[in-house]
């Protein structure tokens, strides 16, 4: 099993489901060549781990995009994931974000946007939700509880090396099986330390927290970060801008630079590259 995965589980005697997400190599890939302040990095890490939980529910081909948009120093946190759990993410933050603490100070007022794009849909399905909560985990607890009509609990942790999440959700018959089960389990879950969540395997996390409960592990699924460069797509985009606009950019900057922030790629074109876009023979189909 990769060191980036989602491990789902069921507390069978309590009718409570959950998941542990561990992102190591995937998280390091998302952070590569990015210099986020630690507080912004940790927000994106929490959101990436939670997106892996939500994306794991995709049953057919599709892409889920989750955005936290605000009017504070962090204006955008965006993560997308497909049904194969291929994940990517990006944060847009002003320099002053480094000196802020707390979700309200960083994001200001804003909203949570979830967009699901699937084959056959003319337009992506979108859901807008006001930001409510003092952390990324609380924002998504509120969203999941409201959208699925069942209480949810989330605990997240992030560092420069890893991001992780513990997810719990109360199922409809939980109170019939054990009236105190949800309160007991969420109380136990709240004792998890960030270093445990980041460094321990999922099975050990669950053993430490719920050793007195019956835990059934489901098959773990790998999370990946595989977004290769797509030079052809970028060249087509540049051609659509027109030669005059690109040559004006060359005259001002000496090159044309395209940043694909979400996939974490940079494309550079010099004068010869731009000329080749318009002078090279084109194949007609």
């Amino acid at each position: 099993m990769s060191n980036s995965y989602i491990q789902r589980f069921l507390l069978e005697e309590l009718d409570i489901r959950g998941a542990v997400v561990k992102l190591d190599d995937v998280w390091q890939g998302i952070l590569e060549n990015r210099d986020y302040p630690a507080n912004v990095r940790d927000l994106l890490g929490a959101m990436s781990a939670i997106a892996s939980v939500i994306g794991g529910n995709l049953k057919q081909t599709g892409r889920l995009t989750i955005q936290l948009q605000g009017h504070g120093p962090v204006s955008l946190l965006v993560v997308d994931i497909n049904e194969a759990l291929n994940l990517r993410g990006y944060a847009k933050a002003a320099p002053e974000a480094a000196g802020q603490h707390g979700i309200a100070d960083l994001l200001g007022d804003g909203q949570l946007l979830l967009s699901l794009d699937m084959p056959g849909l003319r337009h992506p399905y979108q859901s807008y939700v006001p930001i409510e909560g003092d952390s990324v985990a609380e924002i998504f607890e509120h969203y999941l509880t409201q959208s699925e009509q069942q209480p949810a609990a989330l605990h997240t942790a992030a560092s420069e090396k890893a991001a992780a999440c513990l997810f719990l959700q109360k199922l409809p018959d939980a109170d019939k099986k054990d009236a105190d089960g949800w309160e007991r389990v969420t109380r136990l879950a709240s004792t998890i330390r960030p270093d445990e969540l980041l460094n321990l395997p999922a099975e050990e996390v669950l053993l430490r927290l719920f050793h007195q409960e019956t835990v059934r592990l489901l098959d773990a699924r790998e999370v990946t970060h595989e977004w290769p460069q797509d030079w052809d797509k970028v060249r087509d985009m540049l051609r659509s801008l027109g030669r005059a606009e690109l040559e004006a950019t060359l005259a001002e900057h000496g090159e044309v630079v395209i940043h694909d922030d979400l996939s974490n790629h940079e494309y550079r074109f010099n004068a010869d590259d731009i000329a080749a876009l318009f002078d090279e023979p084109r194949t007609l189909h």
Side-chain angles (χ1 to χ4, degrees):
M1 174 56 61
S2 165
N3 60 5
S4 294
Y5 60 91
I6 175 171
Q7 175 71 68
R8 294 194 178 276
F9 63 90
L10 181 65
L11 301 177
E12 290 190 291
E13 297 177 358
L14 303 179
D15 219 22
I16 294 171
R17 69 171 182 162
V20 176
V21 172
K22 307 277 290 184
L23 304 177
D24 290 350
D25 56 338
V26 162
W27 179 232
Q28 292 162 29
I30 290 173
L31 290 182
E32 187 176 0
N33 298 322
R34 288 172 166 165
D35 190 23
Y36 296 131
N39 54 350
V40 176
R41 176 203 68 205
D42 292 352
L43 288 181
L44 184 62
M47 193 161 152
S48 298
I50 293 171
S52 300
V53 173
I54 301 174
N57 290 326
L58 291 174
K59 303 302 183 185
Q60 53 186 303
T61 301
R63 178 179 297 174
L64 176 69
T65 303
I66 305 174
Q67 299 181 58
L68 279 173
Q69 303 168 332
H71 297 93
V74 178
S75 56
L76 178 66
L77 294 166
V78 57
V79 176
D80 84 4
I81 189 167
N82 65 12
E83 80 289 347
L85 299 184
N86 193 11
L87 177 74
R88 56 185 175 173
Y90 166 69
K92 184 176 182 181
E96 58 267 26
Q100 300 294 330
H101 300 282
I103 198 80
D105 292 333
L106 287 165
L107 283 171
D109 63 320
Q111 63 185 3
L112 169 64
L113 168 62
L114 289 91
S115 178
L116 178 60
D117 193 7
M118 302 176 69
L121 290 180
R122 293 186 60 186
H123 304 286
Y125 168 79
Q126 294 186 325
S127 176
Y128 292 87
V129 183
I131 293 177
E132 296 186 32
D134 295 326
S135 67
V136 171
E138 287 187 13
I139 290 170
F140 281 91
E141 280 181 357
H142 176 78
Y143 165 74
L144 290 170
T145 298
Q146 294 298 314
S147 65
E148 300 186 11
Q149 299 299 304
Q150 293 295 329
L154 287 160
H155 299 275
T156 62
S159 69
E160 72 280 2
K161 294 183 178 180
C165 171
L166 170 64
F167 162 74
L168 293 164
Q169 188 164 47
K170 183 180 180 181
L171 298 175
D173 291 334
D175 288 339
K176 297 178 184 178
K177 292 193 172 184
D178 187 329
D180 299 320
W182 177 248
E183 181 181 354
R184 182 172 70 253
V185 165
T186 53
R187 185 173 63 249
L188 290 169
S190 69
T191 66
I192 189 71
R193 300 195 312 267
D195 63 298
E196 292 176 321
L197 198 51
L198 288 171
N199 298 316
L200 296 179
E203 290 189 32
E204 190 168 344
V205 168
L206 297 174
L207 181 63
R208 287 195 177 194
L209 292 176
F210 310 126
H211 61 276
Q212 293 183 329
E213 309 292 345
T214 301
V215 182
R216 179 161 67 94
L217 295 178
L218 307 180
D219 291 339
R221 295 182 61 195
E222 182 181 9
V223 181
T224 61
H225 175 64
E226 297 174 355
W227 298 95
Q229 290 185 322
D230 191 341
W231 285 91
D232 289 340
K233 181 179 179 180
V234 175
R235 291 186 182 101
D236 288 342
M237 182 273 292
L238 290 177
R239 289 189 188 98
S240 71
L241 295 176
R243 190 167 193 160
E245 181 172 342
L246 297 176
E247 289 182 345
T249 301
L250 283 171
E252 183 176 357
H253 300 287
E255 62 180 346
V256 175
V257 181
I258 303 296
H259 294 274
D260 180 350
D261 292 319
L262 196 52
S263 296
N264 199 7
H265 295 310
E266 183 176 86
Y267 303 84
R268 292 181 175 271
F269 296 81
N270 60 27
D272 290 339
D273 298 326
I274 296 301
L277 292 177
F278 298 94
D279 297 339
E280 64 185 18
R282 305 297 303 279
T283 300
L284 298 179
H285 298 281

